[in-house]
Amino acid sequence: AGVEPSRLHRLPNPVHEPDLPDRRAAREQLQQRFGIPGDGQFVLYPVRGIGRKNIGEALLWSSIADSRSFFGLTLAPINPLERAGYDRWTGLARELNLNWQFEMGEADGLPFPQILAAADLLLTTSVAEGFGMTYLESCLAGIPLAGRDLPRITADFTDCGLQFPWLKPEFQIPVDWLDTDSLF
């Protein structure tokens, strides 16, 4: 692009192998702080709840999960423009009585390593990514990742040998779930 080499800097992706606490202790903290039973499945979406993270699809995942599955999202949006959409999704989760806990990593929540150590499964429903941190974090933490595959991000990872068997490029909804007359 014509930039002088002396003015270029490499900024590596800040993904590090997590130093996770004891899983049993993390599950106990999860139950104490959020009331999530230790014998249920805990699915974590480890992101900030901004629009491109596609919270609606994450809620859809939880709506088809069994009643012993509990879902969590770590952080609320910082940008005030993102807040209205986020509030609509959290309100819908409450209205539908979905097993969701939002803002688990905020000041009154738990530190991220405890939340991550308590997770049985990580979720991604993002429709756009810059780096794909969740994909790499799942591998480094040894926690399976389910949800949306973004081949523009994951192709490099899979070329290097990483595997994401529970990812799909789309979430298909059976037509019989919909009121097609209203839809049309």
Side-chain angles (χ1 to χ4, degrees):
V3 176
E4 288 293 319
S6 64
R7 298 189 58 134
L8 296 175
H9 302 278
R10 181 176 183 267
L11 299 174
N13 221 348
V15 178
H16 304 285
E17 187 170 354
D19 183 17
L20 298 180
D22 177 69
R23 177 173 165 70
R24 185 172 39 217
R27 289 300 291 230
E28 288 173 9
Q29 288 179 327
L30 191 73
Q31 184 167 5
Q32 289 170 1
R33 174 61 189 91
F34 299 110
I36 296 174
D39 61 347
Q41 181 182 45
F42 176 51
V43 180
L44 177 64
Y45 195 2
V47 297
R48 189 169 295 284
I50 60 175
R52 69 182 170 86
K53 296 303 180 178
N54 196 9
I55 305 305
E57 186 175 309
L59 296 183
L60 187 58
W61 274 89
S62 70
S63 74
I64 63 171
D66 71 32
S67 63
R68 302 295 303 153
S69 295
F70 297 84
F71 289 72
L73 184 126
T74 48
L75 300 169
I78 295 174
N79 183 338
L81 299 175
E82 296 276 2
R83 191 68 204 207
Y86 175 79
D87 288 344
R88 282 193 298 275
W89 289 122
T90 58
L92 181 63
R94 281 190 304 277
E95 179 185 325
L96 297 176
N97 201 30
L98 298 176
N99 287 335
W100 267 93
Q101 179 66 51
F102 295 92
E103 302 171 31
M104 298 180 80
E106 299 289 349
D108 62 340
L110 292 174
F112 182 67
Q114 272 79 14
I115 301 168
L116 187 60
D120 296 298
L121 182 69
L122 298 183
L123 178 67
T124 180
T125 56
S126 182
V127 294
E129 285 292 336
F131 298 108
M133 301 288 279
T134 300
Y135 299 98
L136 297 176
E137 286 172 340
S138 73
C139 294
L140 291 170
I143 303 171
L145 178 65
R148 184 177 287 268
D149 186 15
L150 297 176
R152 292 181 73 187
I153 299 294
T154 59
D156 284 344
F157 302 153
T158 56
D159 286 350
C160 291
L162 298 179
Q163 297 180 11
F164 304 101
W166 294 354
L167 296 180
K168 302 291 180 217
E170 59 191 18
F171 188 107
Q172 295 187 357
I173 301 170
V175 173
D176 61 349
W177 286 13
L178 304 173
D179 176 355
T180 53
D181 292 334
S182 294
L183 184 64
F184 289 121

